Each structure stands twice: as C-alpha cells, then as structure tokens.
Amino acid sequence: MQERRLRLLFIISALWGMLIFWVAPHPPMVDLPQHAGQVVLLKQMLLGDSPWSEQLRINLFTPYIIGYGLALPLSLLMPVAAALKLLLSAAYIAFVCMCIALRRQFGGDARLDWLFLLSFFGFAYTWGFFTFLIASPIGLYFILQAERYAVSPDRSRGAMVVLIGLLMLASHGLVFLFATAVGAAILAARVRWFTPLLKAAWPYILLAFACGAYFLINQRINAGLQTGLEQGTRWNWDALRRLPLLYTVAAGTQRSPSTYYWAIVLLFAAAPWLMGLRIHWRRSSSWIAFVIVASIIIVVPHFAMNTAFLYERFALFLAPAYAWMFNAKPQNDALPAARNFSPPRCTGVVFLLMIACWTMFAVHTSRAWHFARESAEFDAVLSALEPGQRALSLIYNRDSAAANTNNLYLHYPLWYQAE
C-alpha cells in the first residue's frame, strides 16, 4: 500500500514538472525565442510568405529537424509559444519514462526514480536548448535499444539501433554522439572478444558513416557562411567553472548557488548509499553512461565548432546515469549484495528525495510566475505593435532578477518576430 502511495506521489510530481512550462506566457528560457523565430520563419518560407526569402535558405542538414519538424505543424494549430511548451512538456514526460525504462533494464532500484525528475530543469532548461531537450528522450531510447542489442545482437535489434540512431542524428548531433558512444561502449563491454565484437558492431559502423556523410554535406552547404560566433576552441577548464554543474542539475541557475541547492545535490549523491544500495560493478553496462557523462564534464571544451556550452548541457544526464548504477535487491550471487537497512530508514530517504523535488519544483514555479509579472510590460507593448514590421531591439539589461538568470532577455525581442 505504501509503495502505491509513493508511486502516485511520484506521478503527481512528474505532472507538476510538466506544467512548469505553462506558468509563464513565455517560459524563462534564454534561447527559446530564437527557436520560436526559426519555426515561424520556416513556416513562412515554406508557405512563400516570408519577406526574407531572397536572403535566406532552408538547410535540411542542420540536425534540428525533429524538434522543428514537430513544432511546425503544431504552430499551424496554435500559437508558436504554446507549440513549443507542448513539445517541452511531452519531452519531459518522455525523458522521465525513458529514465525509468533504463533503470529497469539495468536492474536498478525504483526508489531512486526521484533522481530523474529535476535534471531536465537544469542548465539546458535555463538556456533554452529546445532541440537538445526534445532530442534527449530519443537519445535515452537509443541507449535502451543498444543495451538490448548488446544482450542479444540479432539483425532485427541491430536494425532498430540503426533506425533510432538515424532519427537521433536528425534530432541533435551532440545527443547522437553521446548516445552512440554509450551504446558502443555497452556493446564492447558485453561482447568482449574481438571477432564477435566486430561482427556485432555493424549498426555503429553504419551510423558512423551516416554521421560522417551528414557532417561533410553540412560543411559543404555552409562553406563561406559567417556565423558571427567566435572561432577556435575555449575550454574553461578549471574546477571553479566545472564544479557548479553539480548544482545546476538541481538548481537550473547560472548564479551562485544557495545552501539548499548544495543540500539537494548532496542528498541525491548520498541517497543510494543511505538506502544500502550498491553499484553494479560486474554489470558494467549500468555504469558506462555515468562514466561517459562525467568524462564529458571533465574533458570536453566549453566552446568548439561554432557551438557554445558543449559540456555544460550534459548535466541533463548526470543524475539519471548516477541512479542507474545502483543495484536493487540482488537476484543472484553475481551481483553485489545490498545492505539490509530497515524499511523505515529507506522510506525516510525516499521522503527526503520527494521533499527535495517538491522544493525545487516550487522554486521553478515561483521563478516562472515572477518572470511572467516581470516581463508583462514587454508583452503588453508586443501586443500593441503592428504585425509585419521590421523592428530594432536594443537590450540594456539582459538579466532577470525574477528568474534568477543571466542573459534571459538576450533574445527576448524575437517573440515579436514569432508572434
């Protein structure tokens, strides 16, 4: 009975997270106005109704096709902001469901599912990486299929890996690279001998060729174009910049963390151990994802190939990958034994995890509500402007005190273009 109640509270909490995107007319996400503008511009160009058609072109080899491809038809039925919020809500629920499916596949403990609820509202949410967030559940589904293929590498499962991989490649290149790296590492861990591994690796060989061809074609299409971004590589390689990713998993803020952010992070880290759970050291596929996420955060640059915040966005996968490592009640002697802590102690830890999630959901809800009030004057001006005009935006203060976020108004005037 108690487990059913906790599961019901978990479902209610996930629904709360899904509704956070709807609190403000325009969610407090830095890049989201750019994505809204892209969707509307794409719609206008396809309908032959864009005043910019002579100066712009559609590049189908930019790997955001799935996010924009889903938002475009929805924008024909509803305002573009509503279309984006609907997709983000669906992506959040799909992300949580895929995390649970992988936990089951890896033999993890259901009480750690609370660790799956917050990371979607971390760094990627704050910066409004719409296509990255939309692609994240596809990446997790790929890892699930890759694990199943590694257990039984037959042709049908290999074909599924290829199909999901191609869909993921069209969704987001960085999610593709991460998920295929995890899948290939799981296959190598499961099939340890060279000859069988080479025979089983054909889905990843095909995906590698597809990725290479996709990249070369995109480079050729974009040859000579100027992005306006800085060139070269920037690492930001010091602990003072990389360590805060731990709290952005829970906090979703770019500013100095409050004490309770760190308390939540420490609780997330300690919860499995306090429940007496132990890591699947012998089942390497369960901890490979965490090792790869941690490696990305440690060694990947901040900026490269005209893309910023490379390593920061992967905080999205940090807490889920951590939870997947821990073994539920062992079914055989091949898995590490969990310590037999009393049920009241374990229930108390789950209760603390639930309170932590509710606390951060309340913080995100409050920020969105206060941001709606803070930006209400701009929205009022926006509604009074005549449509179809060319407007100059001059931004004197990018930061939002209400949302506790830097640069939030950087692209905000693009809602005029979108709406």
Side-chain angles (χ1 to χ4, degrees), residues 6 22 41 50 71 75 78 82 88 135 174 182 191 208 234 238 244 275 304 327 349 351 356 381 396 400 412:
L6 287 173
W22 298 88
L41 180 61
S50 173
S75 69
M78 62 186 71
L88 286 167
L174 294 178
V182 173
V191 186
R234 185 150 52 91
D238 60 82
M275 292 179 185
N327 181 31
V349 175
F351 179 76
V381 172
Y396 296 100
S400 170
Y412 202 77

Side-chain angles (χ1 to χ4, degrees), residues 78-99:
M78 62 186 71
V80 65
L84 298 187
K85 289 190 284 187
L86 180 61
L87 288 175
L88 286 167
S89 297
Y92 173 71
I93 294 299
F95 178 85
V96 173
C97 290
M98 285 297 101
C99 287

Side-chain angles (χ1 to χ4, degrees), residues 16-251:
W16 182 358
M18 181 185 70
L19 294 175
I20 289 175
F21 299 102
W22 298 88
V23 174
H26 301 122
M29 303 168 69
V30 178
D31 281 352
L32 195 63
Q34 287 197 103
H35 293 291
Q38 290 274 27
V39 171
V40 172
L41 180 61
L42 177 61
K43 178 175 66 174
Q44 291 174 339
M45 293 186 70
L46 290 175
L47 297 177
D49 192 31
S50 173
W52 309 98
S53 57
E54 295 181 357
Q55 297 172 280
L56 300 174
R57 68 189 184 198
I58 298 173
N59 181 8
L60 294 178
F61 286 89
T62 298
Y64 293 170
I65 294 176
I66 301 303
Y68 291 163
L70 293 173
L72 178 61
L74 288 175
S75 69
L76 299 174
L77 304 175
M78 62 186 71
V80 65
L84 298 187
K85 289 190 284 187
L86 180 61
L87 288 175
L88 286 167
S89 297
Y92 173 71
I93 294 299
F95 178 85
V96 173
C97 290
M98 285 297 101
C99 287
I100 294 172
L102 279 165
R103 185 264 303 163
R104 290 172 176 167
Q105 181 69 27
F106 293 138
D109 195 292
R111 293 170 295 183
L112 294 181
D113 287 355
W114 292 93
L115 272 66
F116 304 150
L117 293 180
L118 289 186
S119 64
F120 203 87
F121 295 96
F123 191 91
Y125 164 79
T126 302
W127 268 94
F129 295 153
F130 170 74
T131 51
F132 183 80
L133 291 170
I134 297 300
S136 62
I138 301 176
L140 295 182
Y141 185 62
F142 177 89
I143 295 174
L144 178 64
Q145 295 300 325
E147 161 70 4
R148 292 173 177 173
Y149 174 71
V151 172
S152 178
D154 55 57
R155 290 185 178 180
S156 60
R157 290 184 175 179
M160 178 64 71
V161 169
V162 173
L163 290 175
I164 301 301
L166 293 175
L167 177 66
M168 187 171 55
L169 178 59
S171 303
H172 203 285
L174 294 178
V175 174
F176 172 86
L177 293 175
F178 164 71
T180 52
V182 173
I186 288 174
L187 181 65
R190 289 275 190 182
V191 186
R192 300 181 181 180
W193 298 102
F194 179 77
T195 302
L197 177 60
L198 189 61
K199 291 181 179 179
W202 63 268
Y204 297 96
I205 296 173
L206 290 178
L207 290 174
F209 276 111
C211 180
Y214 200 93
F215 175 78
L216 291 176
I217 294 173
N218 191 42
Q219 289 293 103
R220 184 171 182 178
I221 290 175
N222 292 333
L225 296 181
Q226 298 296 321
T227 64
L229 294 174
E230 59 184 283
Q231 301 299 314
T233 300
R234 185 150 52 91
W235 292 90
N236 288 2
W237 206 358
D238 60 82
L240 293 178
R241 292 183 181 272
R242 306 242 170 182
L243 189 59
L245 279 183
L246 294 173
Y247 74 79
T248 60
V249 170

Side-chain angles (χ1 to χ4, degrees), residues 353-369:
L353 290 174
M354 180 175 64
I355 294 301
C357 290
W358 288 358
T359 299
M360 288 313 307
F361 281 161
V363 169
H364 291 307
T365 303
S366 175
R367 285 178 182 168
W369 184 77

Side-chain angles (χ1 to χ4, degrees), residues 217-330:
I217 294 173
N218 191 42
Q219 289 293 103
R220 184 171 182 178
I221 290 175
N222 292 333
L225 296 181
Q226 298 296 321
T227 64
L229 294 174
E230 59 184 283
Q231 301 299 314
T233 300
R234 185 150 52 91
W235 292 90
N236 288 2
W237 206 358
D238 60 82
L240 293 178
R241 292 183 181 272
R242 306 242 170 182
L243 189 59
L245 279 183
L246 294 173
Y247 74 79
T248 60
V249 170
T253 181
Q254 305 160 13
R255 298 180 176 176
S256 298
S258 299
T259 303
Y260 65 89
Y261 295 159
W262 286 112
I264 290 174
V265 169
L266 292 175
L267 173 63
F268 274 29
W273 304 96
L274 293 175
M275 292 179 185
L277 304 176
R278 293 299 178 262
I279 297 176
H280 291 254
W281 291 118
R282 295 188 180 181
R283 184 181 289 176
S284 55
S285 58
S286 66
W287 49 261
I288 281 174
F290 181 79
V291 170
I292 291 179
V293 173
S295 300
I296 289 172
I297 293 175
I298 293 171
V299 304
V300 168
H302 160 79
F303 180 92
M305 299 179 65
N306 293 325
T307 304
F309 303 114
L310 282 174
Y311 73 84
E312 291 94 333
R313 66 185 70 205
F314 285 96
L316 172 66
F317 301 107
L318 190 60
Y322 181 71
W324 297 332
M325 295 194 297
F326 289 90
N327 181 31
K329 186 176 180 180

